Amino acid sequence: NAGVTQTPKFQVLKTGQSMTLQCAQDMNHNSMYWYRQDPGMGLRLIYYSASEGTTDKGEVPNGYNVSRLNKREFSLRLESAAPSQTSVYFCASRRTSGLPLPYNEQFFGPGTRLTVL
Amino acid sequence: KNQVEQSPQSLIILEGKNCTLQCNYTVSPFSNLRWYKQDTGRGPVSLTIMTFSENTKSNGRYTATLDADTKQSSLHITASQLSDSASYICVVSANVNSGTYKYIFGTGTRLKVLA
C-alpha cells in the first residue's frame, strides 16, 4: 500500500500561471481532503469530497477548484496563481465505514511545496 | 468560535528527558481529539485519539490525556529520542451532523531533541 500519494513534490509558478496538484489513495477511502499549511497557522481546509461525485468548500476555497475524478483521485487546480497561494498543500483521505466514525483517522500525503513568484 | 491553541510553540530538550505538550480547545460539539506527529517535509501521522469518555491513551513512549471538563489535553513524551524531533499537532473534531466531521487544527509545537 502506497497510502496517499501527491504529485508534484515541489513546484514554482509565476503569478497568473495555472497548475493542477494531483492526489491519489489506494486505501479505498470514501472521503478526501485538500489542506494548506502556512507558517504559524494550523492546517486549513480548502475543499473536501465526502464521497465519489461530491465536493464541498472548506474554510479557504477562493482561488481553487477541485475534481473528484474517481474514488481514488482528487485533484486541486489553481487557475491563476497568486503569491498568497505560496504554501504547502496536503491531501488526506479517510474511511467512513467499519470502525466507529470518530476513530476513522485522516491519512495524509507527503505534501506539495508550491511557491508563486 | 472553534479554536485549538497549543503551547509551547517550540521546545528544546536533551535526549532521554521527558516533556509535556499542551493543547487547549474550544470546539463544539466535541467529537474527539487527536495528536499528530509531523516530521519535517512529511505529512502528519496520527499518534493517539481520544473521544469524550476517554481520558488517557498511550502509544509507546507517547501518552495523551484529555480533560473534557476543562477542555485541555496534554501529550507526554517519555525518555525522548532524537527521532522525536518533529512538530506535534493537536486536532479536535466536531461532529457537525451525522457522519460529517469538521477538523480544527492547532498550530503545533515544534520539538527539538538534542544529543
Side-chain angles (χ1 to χ4, degrees):
Chain A
N1 272 359
V4 179
T5 57
Q6 293 183 236
T7 55
K9 285 186 167 50
F10 301 93
Q11 185 71 50
V12 179
L13 293 178
K14 293 181 179 177
T15 298
Q17 287 185 317
S18 62
M19 80 160 295
T20 300
L21 281 64
Q22 306 286 355
C23 173
Q25 53 91 10
D26 62 1
M27 296 174 283
N28 202 35
H29 288 172
N30 290 322
S31 297
M32 297 186 73
Y33 308 79
W34 276 106
Y35 292 93
R36 59 179 288 173
Q37 186 176 40
D38 301 295
M41 303 185 76
L43 274 78
R44 292 181 293 168
L45 182 65
I46 304 171
Y47 270 94
Y48 69 99
S49 171
S51 61
E52 187 179 354
T54 69
T55 60
D56 285 287
K57 294 178 180 179
E59 183 183 354
V60 288
N62 290 346
Y64 305 96
N65 285 301
V66 291
S67 295
R68 183 74 182 266
L69 305 170
N70 47 57
K71 192 171 186 179
R72 290 187 63 248
E73 299 172 288
F74 188 38
S75 63
L76 178 71
R77 183 159 179 84
L78 286 70
E79 291 290 352
S80 179
S84 61
Q85 294 178 305
T86 294
S87 187
V88 182
Y89 291 86
F90 288 99
C91 177
S93 71
R94 176 175 172 261
R95 187 175 63 175
T96 54
S97 62
L99 289 171
L101 288 177
Y103 291 91
N104 284 323
E105 69 176 276
Q106 289 184 321
F107 290 85
F108 288 84
T112 293
R113 283 142 191 82
L114 175 67
T115 300
V116 183
L117 302 175
Chain B
K1 180 184 177 184
N2 288 329
Q3 271 189 310
V4 176
E5 295 182 349
Q6 293 187 241
S7 62
Q9 277 191 324
S10 61
L11 184 61
I12 300 174
I13 63 173
L14 292 176
E15 187 178 17
K17 298 297 186 183
N18 304 335
C19 67
T20 300
L21 314 180
Q22 301 290 344
C23 173
N24 296 340
Y25 63 91
T26 52
V27 174
S28 180
F30 176 87
S31 174
N32 63 76
L33 183 148
R34 281 188 190 274
W35 283 93
Y36 281 85
K37 179 186 180 189
Q38 184 177 19
D39 292 313
T40 301
R42 309 289 291 271
V45 175
S46 179
L47 290 174
T48 64
I49 177 176
M50 290 173 292
T51 60
F52 186 87
S53 59
E54 297 170 302
N55 56 21
T56 188
K57 188 70 70 76
S58 291
N59 179 357
R61 294 179 297 100
Y62 300 101
T63 299
T65 64
L66 173 66
D67 186 333
D69 291 332
T70 62
K71 295 183 169 55
Q72 295 179 325
S73 176
S74 64
L75 181 69
H76 186 75
I77 304 175
T78 303
S80 60
Q81 300 176 358
L82 297 178
S83 59
D84 292 330
S85 295
S87 287
Y88 292 84
I89 302 172
C90 176
V91 184
V92 181
S93 67
N95 187 356
V96 295
N97 60 54
S98 180
T100 301
Y101 294 85
K102 178 173 181 172
Y103 300 92
I104 300 92
F105 290 76
T107 56
T109 292
R110 188 181 298 270
L111 174 66
K112 178 75 171 175
V113 181
L114 300 177

